[in-house]
Amino acid sequence: MEHTFLLKADWNGGRNSDGRIETGQLRTAISIPAEMGGPGVGTNPDEMLLGAAATCYLITLAAMMERAGLPVVSLTLESEGIVDVTNNIFTYRRIVHRPRVLLSVEATDGQIEQALRLAEQAESSCMISRAVAGNVALSTEPVVERTA
């Protein structure tokens, strides 16, 4: 079975212009980020790649923890994308995911270890991670704790 996603885009000129994209529930302005000499309007490809990788990782991790029956109280994520600029060539180098998993106070040491393992495994199970593998370095720095 295949799923098809359609994106429509409009662009208003040259490099330092802006545009709009629409796909599913996502409707936003786009441009080159100010950090890269653009107008900084709306979002940009760098943020969108990070957003795709982060949301895919987070949803994958949540599903894996649910299937494992772990007593998750909260699951949050901070992700960082690093883009290198050498000789005016922009290269997306790496993405680091930093999930924070809070398990119930009754969670066993074994469940904490399992949550840590799943946080590592979710990276290789995520569709977006598999799509960029070999081009962008991916890593996780999970923290798993019990509620007080």
Side-chain angles (χ1 to χ4, degrees), residues 30-33 43-50 92:
I30 57 169
S31 75
I32 294 173
T43 192
N44 58 70
D46 309 279
E47 290 173 343
M48 290 175 47
L49 179 59
L50 181 60
Y92 218 112

Side-chain angles (χ1 to χ4, degrees), residues 59-72 75 114 118:
I59 292 167
T60 300
L61 179 56
M64 292 172 79
M65 290 190 173
E66 180 181 278
R67 280 193 302 272
L70 293 176
V72 177
L75 174 57
Q114 184 179 22
L118 291 176

Side-chain angles (χ1 to χ4, degrees), residues 13-86:
R15 179 193 186 278
N16 286 327
S17 295
D18 59 65
R20 290 202 54 78
I21 60 168
E22 292 186 17
T23 179
Q25 298 300 310
L26 176 63
R27 291 170 181 81
T28 189
I30 57 169
S31 75
I32 294 173
E35 300 86 353
M36 295 178 175
V41 175
T43 192
N44 58 70
D46 309 279
E47 290 173 343
M48 290 175 47
L49 179 59
L50 181 60
T55 55
C56 184
Y57 172 82
L58 186 63
I59 292 167
T60 300
L61 179 56
M64 292 172 79
M65 290 190 173
E66 180 181 278
R67 280 193 302 272
L70 293 176
V72 177
V73 173
S74 73
L75 174 57
T76 59
L77 178 66
E78 180 178 292
S79 295
E80 182 177 22
I82 293 88
V83 175
D84 176 59
V85 183
T86 302

